[in-house]
C-alpha cells in the first residue's frame, strides 16, 4: 500500500450548497466542480485571473487545517479581515492511511504577514536562521523551500513564482523535485510555464466550462510563452499599434 498521495481527492458536496448565485459558488469552474483527484507527486491548478484557482487552493488548505494566511498548521494568524470563502466547508477530503510528517501552505499574497509573525515569535530556526524581512521577497521564498520544508510533507503553494525571477523559478523547480524524492506531495496554483514543466505532473485548467485535466503543451502558459519568444518582435510591434 502506497502512502502517497497523502491527499488523494477532494469531493465537492454540492447537495449542501444553498445557492450557486453567490461567491464563490458562482465562479463557473467552482459551480461545475464535482471532485478533484491529486497526483502523488505534483498537481498544478492553472487558469486565467478570476478563474477560481486561488479560491480552490485556499479552500483545500483550509479544509486540511492550515491558516488563511499560510505557513504551517500552527500559524493561525489573520490580518486585514481576510476571511476567505466558505468553499472549504463544502469539501470532503479523502486522505491516505499515512499522515505527512511535514506541512506548509505558501501563499504569495500573504507571505509577508507570515514572515512578520515569525519575527514576532522569534522563530527563524526553520528559515535558515535569517530574518525573512532582511531578504528579498524571492530570497525568502527560496529560503522557505530550502530550509523550512523537510520532506515527507504535503505542501500547498499559491502562485509561488510571484517573487521569483526565471532563474530562481528553475532553482525552485529543482528544490520541489528534491522534496518529491523525499516522499513529498505538492498542490500548486501557478502561472509559471517553468514550474508547469515538472515531469509527469497532473495539470488542471479552470475556465468557464469547468475543470479539465490537460497536458503541459496545451496550457496557455506554454503556448503563449513559446509563441512570444519565437515571434517577440512582431508581437510587440502589433501590441504597440493597438
Amino acid at each position: 500500500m502506497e502512502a502517497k498521495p497523502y491527499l488523494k481527492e477532494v469531493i465537492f458536496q454540492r447537495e449542501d450548497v444553498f445557492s450557486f448565485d453567490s461567491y464563490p459558488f458562482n465562479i463557473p469552474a467552482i459551480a461545475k466542480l464535482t471532485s478533484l483527484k491529486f497526483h502523488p507527486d505534483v498537481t498544478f491548478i492553472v487558469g486565467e485571473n478570476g478563474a477560481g484557482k486561488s479560491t480552490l487552493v485556499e479552500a483545500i488548505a483550509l479544509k486540511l487545517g492550515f491558516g488563511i494566511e499560510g505557513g504551517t498548521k500552527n500559524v493561525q494568524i489573520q490580518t486585514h479581515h481576510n476571511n476567505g470563502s466558505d468553499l472549504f466547508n463544502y469539501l470532503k477530503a479523502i486522505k491516505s492511511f499515512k499522515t505527512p510528517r511535514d506541512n506548509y501552505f505558501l501563499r504569495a499574497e500573504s507571505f509577508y504577514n507570515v514572515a512578520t509573525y515569525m519575527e514576532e515569535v522569534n522563530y527563524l530556526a526553520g528559515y535558515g536562521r535569517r530574518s525573512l524581512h532582511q531578504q528579498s521577497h524571492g530570497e525568502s521564498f527560496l529560503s522557505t523551500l530550502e530550509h523550512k520544508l523537510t520532506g515527507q510533507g504535503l505542501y500547498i503553494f499559491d502562485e509561488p513564482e510571484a517573487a521569483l525571477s526565471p532563474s530562481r523559478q528553475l532553482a525552485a523547480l529543482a528544490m520541489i523535485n528534491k522534496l518529491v524524492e523525499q516522499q513529498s506531495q505538492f498542490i500548486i496554483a501557478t502561472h509559471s510555464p517553468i514550474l508547469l514543466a515538472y515531469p509527469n505532473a497532473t495539470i488542471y485548467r479552470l475556465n468557464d466550462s469547468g475543470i479539465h485535466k490537460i497536458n503541459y503543451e496545451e496550457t496557455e502558459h506554454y503556448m503563449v510563452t513559446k509563441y512570444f519568444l519565437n515571434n517577440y518582435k512582431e508581437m510587440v510591434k502589433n501590441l504597440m499599434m493597438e
Side-chain angles (χ1 to χ4, degrees):
M1 186 180 296
E2 294 290 336
K4 288 174 55 184
Y6 301 114
L7 180 62
K8 295 182 176 182
E9 183 180 6
V10 290
I11 298 172
F12 183 27
Q13 298 176 303
R14 303 174 54 84
E15 65 279 4
D16 295 335
V17 177
F18 176 74
S19 171
F20 282 86
D21 294 328
S22 59
Y23 176 82
F25 309 108
N26 60 352
I27 298 173
I30 301 299
K32 295 178 175 66
L33 174 66
T34 54
S35 68
L36 209 62
K37 294 183 178 180
F38 300 103
H39 193 282
D41 297 335
V42 180
T43 301
F44 289 111
I45 298 175
V46 303
E48 266 297 341
N49 296 328
K53 60 186 181 302
S54 290
T55 299
L56 180 56
V57 166
E58 172 194 275
I60 294 168
L62 291 178
K63 186 64 183 180
L64 295 176
F66 290 98
I68 188 71
E69 304 280 358
T72 68
K73 292 182 181 180
N74 294 325
V75 179
Q76 296 291 329
I77 60 174
Q78 184 173 329
T79 60
H80 303 297
H81 306 289
N82 184 2
N83 297 314
S85 76
D86 291 333
L87 179 58
F88 76 98
N89 287 316
Y90 299 87
L91 296 182
K92 179 180 180 181
I94 308 299
K95 304 176 183 178
S96 163
F97 71 93
K98 187 173 178 62
T99 302
R101 186 187 67 182
D102 192 30
N103 59 80
Y104 205 90
F105 177 27
L106 195 157
R107 191 170 199 177
E109 68 177 24
S110 57
F111 186 73
Y112 179 93
N113 301 330
V114 174
T116 300
Y117 175 77
M118 293 296 103
E119 297 263 316
E120 291 174 349
V121 300
N122 196 30
Y123 181 74
L124 296 175
Y127 295 86
R129 299 188 183 277
R130 292 180 60 200
S131 167
L132 293 171
H133 287 313
Q134 293 177 9
Q135 305 174 56
S136 72
H137 202 181
E139 286 175 328
S140 64
F141 270 34
L142 289 181
S143 182
T144 300
L145 272 169
E146 183 176 5
H147 300 292
K148 181 61 180 171
L149 310 188
T150 59
Q152 295 182 40
L154 175 56
Y155 305 123
I156 301 177
F157 290 177
D158 186 14
E159 300 186 7
E161 74 280 2
L164 299 177
S165 69
S167 62
R168 293 300 177 91
Q169 290 181 45
L170 290 169
L173 192 63
M175 292 179 186
I176 288 171
N177 184 61
K178 182 179 179 181
L179 287 161
V180 167
E181 291 176 343
Q182 296 171 350
Q183 293 300 300
S184 298
Q185 180 187 11
F186 286 83
I187 300 169
I188 305 174
T190 185
H191 290 291
S192 169
I194 293 176
L195 296 183
L196 284 169
Y198 190 87
N200 303 315
T202 292
I203 303 175
Y204 289 109
R205 178 176 61 200
L206 278 62
N207 58 24
D208 286 352
S209 67
I211 302 177
H212 310 280
K213 187 184 294 186
I214 60 173
N215 297 320
Y216 174 57
E217 293 82 0
E218 295 175 301
T219 65
E220 184 180 14
H221 314 73
Y222 170 84
M223 291 187 290
V224 171
T225 302
K226 180 180 179 181
Y227 186 83
F228 178 79
L229 292 175
N230 289 334
N231 305 275
Y232 71 93
K233 291 183 179 179
E234 178 186 353
M235 284 194 70
V236 170
K237 180 180 179 180
N238 290 337
L239 287 169
M240 296 301 102
M241 292 174 62
E242 290 184 357

